[in-house]
Amino acid sequence: MLPDSPVRIRPARDDDRLPLAGMFAEAAEELDSIATEPPVDVRARAASWTIDETLVAVTGDEVIGSIHVGRSGHGFGEVGMTVAREWRGRGVGSVLLAAAIEWAREQGLHKLSLGVFAHNAAGIALYRKFGFVEEGRRVKQYRRQNGELWDAIDMGLLL
Ligand SMILES: CC(C)(COP(=O)(O)OP(=O)(O)OC[C@H]1O[C@@H](n2cnc3c(N)ncnc32)[C@H](O)[C@@H]1OP(=O)(O)O)[C@@H](O)C(=O)NCCC(=O)NCCS
């Protein structure tokens, strides 16, 4: 279910850079869902963000989610996404991913790929809902700052 206020998906713009980097830094601070861990250099991340490969979810003027499809040059795109914590579980991730799949098809990509931590139930549920299948498991792939070694699942969707 979407939030009460209307949520729009649109291509990212230059003035989204700081909000995008800020949201990314907040996700990193949660320590459990994305590979990057703090500290995030928000200004550097904002400056290097690939805006033309990003869609944002906005309500009013606020960016509440984003999805990035990195074009590989080999026909597949690598997906990364974040929904602001207070907006999760309300369908924002679903509308973002649906829009990204459509965008990827329009770009002529033949496949979307991603890696997700094996414990990331919300992420895995979202990707499965859109037909992504598990293609493998990278065992103890990520060494975290706390010393733990985390598995990641590779998932893919043929377009
Ligand atoms: C993963 C993430 C993008 C999902 O976005 P979202 O807006 O919460 O997703 P939605 O509300 O559209 O939910 C999608 C599906 O996942 C399911 N889901 C959501 N949260 C869940 C949870 N914690 N456990 C199990 N399933 C869950 C929902 O039931 C929904 O399925 P349904 O429509 O059939 O009910 C969001 O949780 C997030 O930003 N997490 C932190 C960053 C992250 O993990 N990024 C992905 C890294 S690979």
Side-chain angles (χ1 to χ4, degrees), residues 28 31 35-40 142-150:
L31 298 178
T36 301
E37 293 187 89
V40 172
Y142 286 87
R143 184 163 62 218
R144 307 296 286 173
Q145 285 173 5
N146 66 6
E148 291 176 6
L149 301 176
W150 287 0

Side-chain angles (χ1 to χ4, degrees), residues 1 6 29-30 39 51 55 85 89 100 102 114 133 138 146 152:
M1 196 201 323
E29 276 155 23
E30 292 171 23
I51 287 294
L55 301 174
R85 192 181 189 109
E102 196 183 315
L114 59 88
V133 294
R138 295 176 187 241
N146 66 6

Side-chain angles (χ1 to χ4, degrees), residues 26-53:
E26 282 173 21
E29 276 155 23
E30 292 171 23
L31 298 178
D32 63 353
S33 60
I34 65 172
T36 301
E37 293 187 89
V40 172
D41 182 335
V42 173
R43 294 210 163 265
R45 179 65 65 160
S48 66
W49 203 287
T50 325
I51 287 294
D52 68 348
E53 296 180 334

Side-chain angles (χ1 to χ4, degrees), residues 27 30 33-34 81-83 87-94 114-116 120-123 125-127 129:
E30 292 171 23
S33 60
I34 65 172
M81 66 186 296
T82 310
V83 172
W87 291 93
R88 290 181 198 157
R90 297 157 78 176
V92 177
S94 295
L114 59 88
V116 56
N120 188 343
L126 171 63
Y127 303 132
K129 176 180 165 186

Side-chain angles (χ1 to χ4, degrees), residues 49 53 66-70 78-82 113-115 127:
W49 203 287
E53 296 180 334
S66 74
I67 190 159
H68 177 260
V69 181
E78 197 76 38
V79 174
M81 66 186 296
T82 310
S113 300
L114 59 88
Y127 303 132

Side-chain angles (χ1 to χ4, degrees), residues 99-119:
I101 290 168
E102 196 183 315
W103 179 86
R105 287 200 177 106
E106 284 165 12
Q107 299 289 310
L109 299 180
H110 75 276
K111 182 174 180 181
L112 290 176
S113 300
L114 59 88
V116 56
F117 286 136
H119 59 257

